[in-house]
Amino acid sequence: HFIDNSKKLYIEIGFGRGSFLSEIAFLKSDANFLGFETGHFLCLEFLEKNKDYPYDNLKIVNYDVRPVLDNFFKPETIDGFFI
């Protein structure tokens, strides 16, 4: 869960090494960012690279986003996607 659910929510699908995701989350601390990536080692690399990230607005999920979107999010709760 995000600490502040009142913030806008953006989802990145397939964040890879996560450079874009971590940079935009850092620059837009007034929004929440959720990244999905199926590559286990890419997620581990991301976590290691961002272990000192200073904000609580960034979460990642090591899972395929397709079954999650329809089952866990109402369309009106997502403010944008990055692919």
Side-chain angles (χ1 to χ4, degrees):
H1 293 345
F2 288 103
I3 291 176
D4 185 354
N5 286 328
S6 67
K7 295 179 178 181
K8 290 186 175 187
L9 174 63
Y10 295 93
I11 294 177
E12 182 170 15
I13 299 172
F15 63 80
R17 288 186 160 55
S19 297
F20 173 78
L21 181 61
S22 59
E23 184 175 337
I24 195 161
F26 181 78
L27 293 173
K28 293 190 57 65
S29 60
D30 60 333
N32 288 323
F33 294 87
L34 183 59
F36 284 86
E37 175 58 58
T38 59
H40 178 72
F41 290 109
L42 290 172
C43 289
L44 290 175
E45 181 181 319
F46 178 88
L47 290 172
E48 179 61 30
K49 186 170 71 173
N50 293 282
K51 65 183 173 190
D52 296 323
Y53 183 77
Y55 300 111
D56 59 3
N57 69 327
L58 174 58
K59 308 286 185 204
I60 66 166
V61 180
N62 182 205
Y63 197 74
D64 186 343
V65 72
R66 291 173 288 187
V68 174
L69 283 180
D70 290 337
N71 295 313
F72 292 99
F73 295 98
K74 294 179 182 176
E76 64 272 11
T77 64
I78 301 170
D79 295 286
F81 289 95
F82 302 103
I83 300 174

